[in-house]
Amino acid sequence: MKKLTTLIAATALASLMASAAWSKTFVYCSEASPEGFDPGLYTGGQTFDAAAHTVYNRLVEFKRGTTEIEPALAESWDISADGKEYTFKLRKGVKFQTTEYFTPTRELNADDVIFSFERQYKADNPWNKYVPGASWEYFSGMGLPDVLDKIEKVDDLTVKITLKRPEAPLLANLGMPFISIVSKEYADKLQADGKMELMNQQPLGTGPFTFVAYQPDAAIRYKANPDYWGGKQKIDDLVFAITTDAAVRAQKLKAGECHLMSYPNAADVAELKADPNLHISEQAGLNVAYLAYNTLVAPFDKVEVRKALNMAINRQAIVDAVFQGAATVAKNPIPPTMWSYNDAVEDDKFDPEAAKKMLADAGVSDLKMKIWAMPVARPYMLNARRAAELMQADLAKIGVTAEIVSYEWAEYLKLSSAKDRDGAAILGWTGDNGDPDNFLDTLLGCDAVGGNNRAQWCNKEFDDLMTKAKETADVAERTKLYEEAQVIFKREAPWNTLDHSLAVVPMSKKVSGFVQSPLGDFVFEGVDIAE
């Protein structure tokens, strides 16, 4: 069956590439299928790579290879003295893509920006629930509905955002994929035709690549946008060859079937480095992997139980087995390369006997639980199944019976966010903007419960610190608040912090112009290949 599936996928990829046989085609071996093509609806990196970074743009974006904000669809902006008003001047002459399914009649203007925001937080907007179950998880989880007062059109090329309170991370947040700017004209046409669901299937934006076709679970094809405001790309066609098995991705790269791959197995890196036709890019990942306990469900609502399980699991053994030296054990929810990292925090020690006693003292015996293992490789966790097996064995030694469960990736992300989810889920995060708020508040804030906060943990003391940190622009003051928040996190243990990994990107030596992102993105703007 596996061979048949592989054959079908290969046939689909070949058919998608056939029309581009005489053009310069770049093939990226990606690790997973996108959840959809509307980046506002999702939080998965594979979806952002397939939609936000190819088809769309934001008002501001991150300079390639950095966490530094630079102008994008907004060529400039002004911030009021009280930090509550942001006025963006839009770039003139930006065209939306022309596709087989839509031909724009106008250029980007303020209406598109306002629509892109309002659809995500105004319940009476007809697009707010255009996809069943739409929660706009990122927009909501970051507290934007609470901080936004209004967004106004000053003129066709000027937008003013007014906040209820200062929000220090706002500009960095606006560079993130979830707030990509979509075409209101296209949305109006889909709504008039009764085909609103196509916004998530046939994307249309202002970005460097125009969407052409998607063969589910096999390949996505794009072509260079000839009207791109940043200039036409050097490659004519871009193909995402969806290849879930990391070993197969490596084989395809070595065979020249793709030019660049994501997330190699740690065991394959040495062989890839030895290949004279390949180049390996490496950098410390701005990431964390964790095991999130559902703190709303007994007995994980008891901090003593969570602490006991943390002490029972040998995280160094997991790092050694899964990463083979390309990761370090994590003690905080933010990586050590990020400002405000609190190195003074004392980590949980591996102590099975103490863990067993703590469970007994908490009145817990014969505990049966589930460990949720991600079905895909991510930079922060290359093999969640293997990690779960090691956890399972460790927990058995203190009398805890753990069952490993998994689901298809999109389903896993959806189900793991449920407030009544049982057990503990392996997940992780690669920073989206270089700000500690993007880890601490996005993943652990009260606003993110039922979404990105997979621990369903709402702690008022912690949450108050998040609010204070966002309301001041003083980096020294924000640092103190975030350091204090990490102490509370470690005391309450909503997660078992697992690792911070090294990000490794193998590619053909024919590739030029690819810049590894500290945010874990795969961005192909500016990339070229030697023929």
Side-chain angles (χ1 to χ4, degrees):
M1 186 65 182
K2 184 176 180 181
K3 289 182 179 180
L4 176 60
T5 304
T6 303
L7 177 61
I8 293 172
T11 303
L13 176 60
S15 65
L16 276 173
M17 293 178 62
S19 63
W22 303 106
S23 61
K24 186 179 284 191
T25 301
F26 187 98
V27 182
Y28 163 52
C29 277
S30 66
E31 77 287 356
S33 300
E35 301 151 280
F37 289 92
D38 183 345
L41 293 169
Y42 306 106
T43 64
Q46 80 282 7
T47 299
F48 293 159
D49 292 338
H53 300 307
T54 49
V55 178
Y56 293 104
N57 291 116
R58 274 70 49 207
L59 289 174
V60 295
E61 293 180 0
F62 296 101
K63 186 177 180 180
R64 288 201 301 161
T66 77
T67 57
E68 176 188 343
I69 283 291
E70 65 178 3
L73 295 181
E75 62 182 9
S76 64
W77 54 88
D78 292 308
I79 305 173
S80 63
D82 65 2
K84 293 182 180 180
E85 290 185 354
Y86 289 67
T87 303
F88 294 91
K89 190 68 177 178
L90 302 183
R91 193 177 296 275
K92 187 177 180 180
V94 174
K95 295 181 179 181
F96 282 99
Q97 298 148 355
T98 296
T99 67
E100 292 182 359
Y101 44 86
F102 186 73
T103 300
T105 65
R106 64 166 177 80
E107 296 174 346
L108 170 83
N109 66 31
D111 294 332
D112 302 302
V113 177
I114 292 171
F115 170 72
S116 299
F117 278 75
E118 289 188 343
R119 72 190 187 119
Q120 297 199 44
Y121 76 99
K122 287 197 170 183
D124 60 350
N125 188 292
W127 284 88
N128 188 252
K129 299 295 181 187
Y130 89 95
V131 169
S135 64
W136 307 101
E137 185 176 339
Y138 234 138
F139 198 95
S140 300
M142 299 186 76
L144 286 177
D146 296 329
V147 76
L148 272 177
D149 184 17
K150 55 186 174 181
I151 177 168
E152 303 170 277
K153 176 179 179 178
V154 178
D155 57 44
D156 276 353
L157 291 177
T158 311
V159 174
K160 183 166 76 171
I161 297 175
T162 304
L163 308 179
K164 296 175 183 175
R165 62 173 187 266
E167 183 83 353
L170 183 69
L171 271 182
N173 292 346
L174 295 185
M176 291 163 55
F178 76 95
I179 200 60
S180 294
I181 304 304
V182 301
S183 166
K184 185 178 186 299
E185 184 186 23
Y186 179 46
D188 288 344
K189 179 66 163 62
L190 292 177
Q191 186 176 353
D193 292 345
K195 297 179 179 179
M196 294 170 73
E197 71 281 356
L198 293 184
M199 177 71 80
N200 198 30
Q201 300 168 22
Q202 296 179 334
L204 182 143
T206 59
F209 297 97
T210 301
F211 176 83
V212 176
Y214 173 44
Q215 179 70 32
D217 301 325
I220 315 167
R221 185 183 153 204
Y222 312 84
K223 64 181 180 181
N225 176 8
D227 300 317
Y228 182 47
W229 59 269
K232 184 180 179 297
Q233 299 303 294
K234 295 176 181 178
I235 55 176
D236 301 300
D237 294 272
L238 172 64
V239 176
F240 279 38
I242 300 165
T243 312
T244 57
D245 189 312
V248 176
R249 291 198 297 278
Q251 290 168 11
K252 286 185 175 182
L253 181 65
K254 288 174 67 65
E257 295 176 29
C258 57
H259 299 100
L260 185 147
M261 67 168 285
S262 63
Y263 316 132
N265 284 327
D268 294 334
V269 171
E271 182 181 354
L272 292 169
K273 284 183 175 180
D275 191 317
N277 297 313
L278 303 180
H279 165 69
I280 310 296
S281 177
E282 295 179 317
Q283 66 178 216
L286 197 69
N287 60 41
V288 65
Y290 58 86
L291 181 71
Y293 304 110
N294 188 343
T295 61
L296 295 179
V297 175
F300 308 105
D301 55 341
K302 293 183 178 182
V303 65
E304 298 86 356
V305 172
R306 302 193 296 266
K307 280 283 191 182
L309 298 178
N310 284 358
M311 289 193 295
I313 293 172
N314 187 342
R315 291 170 294 152
Q316 186 62 57
I318 292 173
V319 165
D320 292 344
V322 174
F323 292 95
Q324 299 186 21
T328 57
V329 171
K331 69 175 179 179
N332 287 325
I334 64 174
T337 52
M338 175 167 276
W339 62 272
S340 83
Y341 180 83
N342 191 346
D343 199 33
V345 166
E346 186 175 345
D347 201 4
D348 296 315
K349 292 181 172 58
F350 174 53
D351 191 338
E353 289 304 314
K356 192 182 299 184
K357 183 179 185 303
M358 189 174 283
L359 277 185
D361 290 347
V364 175
S365 60
D366 300 321
L367 174 60
K368 293 179 174 58
M369 62 178 287
K370 290 183 179 178
I371 298 175
W372 291 47
M374 297 156 44
V376 298
R378 306 302 299 162
Y380 46 75
M381 181 49 67
L382 297 178
N383 190 333
R385 169 66 64 168
R386 180 63 180 139
E389 290 169 350
L390 292 169
M391 293 179 193
Q392 183 184 49
D394 285 341
L395 293 174
K397 294 172 185 175
I398 65 163
V400 174
T401 302
E403 175 192 358
I404 299 172
V405 298
S406 191
Y407 301 88
E408 183 271 329
W409 186 217
E411 191 74 358
Y412 185 95
L413 290 172
K414 178 182 176 181
L415 294 176
S416 64
S417 67
K419 292 182 181 180
D420 61 351
R421 186 205 75 230
D422 53 353
I426 299 175
L427 276 158
W429 194 257
T430 297
D432 290 301
N433 62 21
D435 195 292
D437 178 80
N438 181 242
F439 282 79
L440 297 173
D441 194 37
T442 299
L443 302 179
L444 294 159
C446 293
D447 284 333
V449 169
N452 280 330
N453 187 340
R454 259 63 180 203
Q456 317 301 343
W457 181 66
C458 178
N459 179 285
K460 186 177 186 304
E461 185 182 6
F462 181 95
D463 221 52
D464 286 347
L465 291 171
M466 294 300 100
T467 300
K468 289 179 183 176
K470 288 196 284 190
E471 289 180 351
T472 177
D474 186 315
V475 174
E477 179 61 23
R478 293 185 76 204
T479 295
K480 291 177 184 177
L481 294 167
Y482 290 136
E483 286 176 345
E484 188 178 342
Q486 289 166 71
V487 173
I488 296 168
F489 164 86
K490 205 63 182 182
R491 182 189 76 209
E492 298 298 316
W495 297 351
N496 187 353
T497 47
L498 299 177
D499 68 78
H500 306 295
S501 71
L502 185 70
V504 180
V505 181
M507 67 193 81
S508 166
K509 284 188 176 177
K510 293 180 179 180
V511 175
S512 62
F514 180 84
V515 180
Q516 190 172 1
S517 168
L519 306 174
D521 304 320
F522 286 85
V523 180
F524 299 102
E525 182 175 357
V527 171
D528 197 7
I529 46 173
E531 294 291 357

